[in-house]
Amino acid sequence: MSQAIAETLSSMLVDRPLWTTADVLALYELPFMDLLWRAHETHRLNFDANAIQRSTLLSIKTGGCSEDCGYCAQSARYGAVERERLLPLEEVLTAARAAKEKGASRFCMGAAWKSPKEADLEKVLEMVQGVKALGLETCVTLGMLEEGQARKLKNAGLDYYNHNLDTDREFYGQVVQSHTYDDRLNTLNRAQEAGLNICSGGIIGMGESRENRAAMLAELAGLPKPPESVPINHLVPVSGTPLGNSPSLDSFEFVRTIAAARIIMPASWVRLSAGRMEMSEELQALCFFAGANSIFYGEALLTTGNSDVSLDDALFAKLGLKAV
Ligand code: SAM
Ligand code: DTB
Ligand code: SF4
């Protein structure tokens, strides 16, 4: 190994601590107030604590997915939603213009695919170019990517690729059998190698243990580069899916997850993602205090609902939060 490479590698190692699952578990086990204090302090050292980034999500291709992810309405196996075709470019651009008008800074397009076919990818590249030309940041989530596909997306001007780890390696096989945890990690590596920012997080409330949650966060923080954006989704139980009757999770455990994510990924945007519609304003405010600084903004997620824009605007006004 050359001296220069060795120096770069060693500087990467000293630049950030490597968090083990045990370290993250120790954060979870702090008294709640101590954990919140530490998370909020970290938040203020790295971000404006009164500013929240807003992304609007659009499902560009809904349902009919070959995969068996136990939480997902879009798997063809559970009959929860109808399969739809890829939306035409104009429809996507109309939605993006409306999102910009309402104040979103990023537009995220989601497709229910295991991985994109080449012909479909070409159409998505046009969407990325069109949305970018409107002056919005772009994000897509299309499933697994090959190396060349990641590069094409980067060349089209894509800013973020969303691909969640969803849970830790141990619990993953209990929720998904049609692809592996390593498949997810490989796609994240390809996206990072192509120079894309990544948006990667998980779902809380699927019946996983606290240790599974801690291990997922440690895995995210330990990626070659921590994700620039970390969505923390609260499971939205969808009837017909294997997780449709999951028992509800203690809200404080959700807040602890946000706080731990903030502490171990201090420079990442942490997004309070799915499940916000079911949360009180007070719980959302606690999540923002714990370090969440991004939301999905707009009445729909992919197949399920999201908080009303007017309610979000009112909450921002009450809390003195400004949009980024
Ligand atoms: N097919 C692609 C994939 O799996 O990466 C992209 C779409 S997939 C629906 C995007 C993410 O939505 C999942 O990784 C998961 O984190 C989240 N998600 C899906 N269904 C959910 C649910 N019922 N509750 C919370 N999050 C969910
Ligand atoms: C992410 O982490 N959450 C979003 C986005 N990335 C693609 C999706 C949430 C989906 C919630 C369930 C649904 O609407 O189908
Ligand atoms: Fe398909 Fe993604 Fe849903 Fe899994 S999470 S079933 S890959 S759309």
Side-chain angles (χ1 to χ4, degrees):
M1 189 187 304
S2 80
Q3 172 97 19
I5 295 177
E7 275 168 16
T8 312
L9 283 177
S10 73
S11 79
M12 279 167 74
L13 289 177
V14 292
D15 267 346
R16 65 181 158 128
L18 276 184
W19 293 88
T20 64
T21 301
D23 296 332
V24 183
L25 258 183
L27 292 176
Y28 268 94
E29 276 150 25
L30 285 171
F32 189 70
M33 300 308 160
D34 291 351
L35 174 62
L36 243 63
W37 186 14
R38 197 162 152 193
H40 190 68
E41 200 173 37
T42 308
H43 192 43
R44 278 185 181 268
L45 284 173
N46 291 279
F47 289 98
D48 174 349
N50 300 306
I52 306 280
Q53 186 274 331
R54 298 179 297 185
S55 293
T56 293
L57 193 53
L58 176 69
S59 181
I60 57 168
K61 182 348 190 131
T62 305
C65 183
S66 63
E67 301 307 282
D68 67 356
C69 313
Y71 48 80
C72 189
Q74 307 208 65
S75 165
R77 308 180 192 215
Y78 313 133
V81 297
E82 293 284 308
R83 177 196 201 109
E84 290 173 20
R85 296 163 70 90
L86 183 62
L87 294 183
L89 176 63
E90 263 321 308
E91 207 170 308
V92 174
L93 295 182
T94 302
R97 271 184 218 107
K100 184 168 188 204
E101 188 89 354
K102 288 188 178 145
S105 63
R106 187 177 312 154
F107 193 66
C108 308
M109 295 164 267
W113 291 323
K114 175 179 189 174
S115 54
K117 295 196 182 70
E118 283 308 314
D120 287 331
L121 185 70
E122 293 303 319
K123 292 182 186 153
V124 174
L125 297 177
E126 285 177 21
M127 294 174 188
V128 169
Q129 283 159 346
V131 171
K132 184 95 181 156
L134 298 174
L136 284 159
E137 286 184 316
T138 51
C139 175
V140 296
T141 182
L142 314 172
M144 294 182 230
L145 290 185
E146 296 301 336
E147 219 176 289
Q149 296 182 314
R151 250 185 252 113
K152 280 186 182 171
L153 286 163
K154 173 71 186 170
N155 291 341
L158 183 70
D159 296 300
Y160 289 81
Y161 195 74
N162 168 246
H163 199 66
N164 293 335
L165 286 183
D166 284 318
T167 187
D168 75 334
R169 182 182 288 281
E170 189 203 58
F171 193 65
Y172 198 74
Q174 288 188 46
V175 181
V176 180
Q177 284 90 42
S178 55
H179 57 258
T180 66
Y181 204 64
D182 282 325
D183 289 331
R184 306 290 290 178
L185 286 168
N186 288 338
T187 290
L188 288 176
N189 286 335
R190 287 176 191 143
Q192 286 193 320
E193 275 166 14
L196 291 164
N197 293 315
I198 60 166
C199 171
S200 187
I203 311 179
I204 308 302
M206 299 193 289
E208 75 286 347
S209 65
R210 177 177 273 188
E211 188 164 355
N212 295 136
R213 289 174 206 125
M216 175 189 80
L217 293 179
E219 187 90 52
L220 289 166
L223 288 172
K225 218 167 118 203
E228 284 74 12
S229 160
V230 181
I232 305 294
N233 294 279
H234 187 297
L235 175 73
V236 181
V238 177
S239 136
T241 63
L243 294 180
N245 292 316
S246 299
S248 65
L249 177 86
D250 177 27
S251 298
F252 294 118
E253 187 67 10
F254 188 82
V255 180
R256 282 180 188 276
T257 303
I258 300 262
R262 166 52 63 227
I263 294 166
I264 71 169
M265 292 174 275
S268 304
W269 293 84
V270 174
R271 183 171 311 115
L272 175 54
S273 302
R276 208 160 56 78
M277 199 165 77
E278 289 74 29
M279 293 178 195
S280 68
E281 291 190 329
E282 293 81 358
L283 176 55
Q284 294 183 57
L286 202 51
C287 291
F288 297 141
F289 188 79
N293 58 351
S294 168
I295 57 167
F296 283 123
Y297 184 65
E299 269 86 22
L301 293 172
L302 293 174
T303 67
T304 65
N306 192 28
S307 302
D308 270 18
V309 161
S310 60
L311 292 179
D312 283 345
D313 290 347
L315 179 59
F316 273 42
K318 277 195 252 185
L319 301 179
L321 292 173
K322 54 182 182 283
V324 176

